């Protein structure tokens, strides 16, 4: 999946165990492990908000997008202006 959850380093930076993080967020250690290991299909906003509150971070500190393969990545030189790609209105 192209969305990656980066929770591994955050508790360590806060000198907090994974068990303590799960307890303070209000989820089970097993569910936290699912998030950490990239097996989660979804994350509730309330859980994301609780993680951010406990870890004093922003959602972007915990989530990032990764291209699934090199063919999915768009090189800056290959980028096309949106108007050029679909045609300007009236064309």
């Amino acid at each position: 999946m192209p969305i990656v959850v980066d929770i591994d380093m955050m508790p360590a930076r806060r000198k907090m165990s994974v068990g303590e993080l799960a307890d303070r967020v209000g989820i089970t250690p097993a569910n936290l492990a699912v998030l950490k290991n990239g097996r989660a299909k979804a994350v509730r906003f309330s859980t994301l908000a609780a993680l951010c509150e406990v870890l004093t971070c922003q959602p972007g500190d915990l989530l990032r997008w990764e291209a699934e393969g090199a063919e999915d990545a768009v090189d800056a030189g290959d980028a096309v202006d949106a108007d050029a790609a679909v045609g300007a209105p009236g064309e």
Side-chain angles (χ1 to χ4, degrees):
M1 177 178 281
I3 301 297
V4 179
V5 181
D6 284 326
I7 297 180
D8 288 334
M9 301 306 286
M10 297 301 282
R13 290 180 187 157
R14 306 297 190 269
K15 295 181 172 62
M16 185 182 310
S17 71
V18 174
E20 181 184 353
L21 175 61
D23 187 50
R24 290 179 62 185
V25 169
I27 62 176
T28 65
N31 283 340
L32 186 58
V34 168
L35 282 172
K36 283 179 53 176
N37 296 327
R39 295 188 316 257
K41 299 290 184 202
V43 179
R44 292 178 188 219
F45 282 140
S46 58
T47 301
L48 183 58
L51 283 165
C52 290
E53 183 177 349
V54 170
L55 296 170
T56 58
C57 66
Q58 294 293 314
D61 296 328
L62 301 175
L63 302 174
R64 65 184 160 86
W65 177 82
E66 265 187 13
E68 288 190 38
E71 65 276 356
D72 292 340
V74 176
D75 188 318
D78 295 338
V80 178
D81 184 339
D83 287 338
V86 295
E91 288 187 304

